[in-house]
């Protein structure tokens, strides 16, 4: 078994959630935020059998879109302050696949 941790943009979370439910793939959604943009994002925790990992990654890919976002002037970036807008490309998704030592569900 594996644990997939997938960070997606909030805008993609509802559709991804629906697609996972439709495929009977269980997931937990966490409201998170990125350290760089400090904007909200959504983290999915998905416990899944090894042979279904690729299928889940394909589903996440289908519903996670790349978007341009702006760091606005005066937004703190580390200790530096910006004085003009900076464009960054966010997403599709950031995915970690971890081995699961044991899975207990009752
Ligand atoms: P944020 O940390 O808010 O980052 C948003 C976007 O800003 C990133 O998009 C990337 O394009 C840019 N960015 C982040 N850190 C940067 C830096 N030090 N210098 C220049 N540009 C930087 P994504 O790479 O698609 O990441 C989207 C979100 O996924 C991140 O939000 C963060 O919440 C998460 N994430 C990305 N990589 C991660 C990692 N290695 N570990 C944990 N979370 C990660």
């Amino acid at each position: 078994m594996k644990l997939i941790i997938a960070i997606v943009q909030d805008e993609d979370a509802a559709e991804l959630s629906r697609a996972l439910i439709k495929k009977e793939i269980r997931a937990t959604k966490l409201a998170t935020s990125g350290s760089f943009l400090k904007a909200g994002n959504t983290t999915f925790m998905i416990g899944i059998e090894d042979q279904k990992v690729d299928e889940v990654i394909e589903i996440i890919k289908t519903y996670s879109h790349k978007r341009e976002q702006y760091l606005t002037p005066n937004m703190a970036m580390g200790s530096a302050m910006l004085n003009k807008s900076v464009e960054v490309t966010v997403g599709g998704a950031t995915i970690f696949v971890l081995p699961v030592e044991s899975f207990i569900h009752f």
Side-chain angles (χ1 to χ4, degrees):
M1 182 170 219
K2 296 284 192 285
L3 176 66
I4 298 176
I5 298 175
I7 303 157
V8 306
Q9 294 178 70
D10 283 345
E11 294 90 329
D12 296 323
E15 270 201 87
L16 174 57
S17 200
R18 271 195 292 276
L20 293 171
I21 290 167
K22 214 167 159 184
K23 295 271 184 180
E24 297 186 20
I25 294 164
R26 289 166 191 242
T28 295
K29 256 171 44 172
L30 305 171
T32 48
S33 55
S35 65
F36 192 68
L37 292 180
K38 298 174 176 49
N41 52 29
T42 302
T43 299
F44 285 79
M45 286 178 26
I46 304 164
I48 195 80
E49 298 85 344
D50 288 20
Q51 68 272 16
K52 291 191 177 166
V53 167
D54 290 345
E55 180 192 353
V56 172
I57 290 171
E58 278 311 308
I59 295 169
I60 297 168
K61 265 189 198 163
T62 304
Y63 291 95
S64 304
H65 304 289
K66 282 192 198 297
R67 293 185 183 85
E68 306 305 324
Q69 290 194 15
Y70 293 90
L71 281 167
T72 50
N74 298 324
M75 191 184 255
M77 199 177 87
S79 56
M81 298 291 277
L82 298 174
N83 52 22
K84 61 177 181 161
S85 287
V86 175
E87 191 182 62
V88 289
T89 304
V90 186
T94 302
I95 301 174
F96 301 89
V97 180
L98 288 72
V100 173
E101 194 173 290
S102 66
F103 171 68
I104 301 157
H105 177 250
F106 56 89

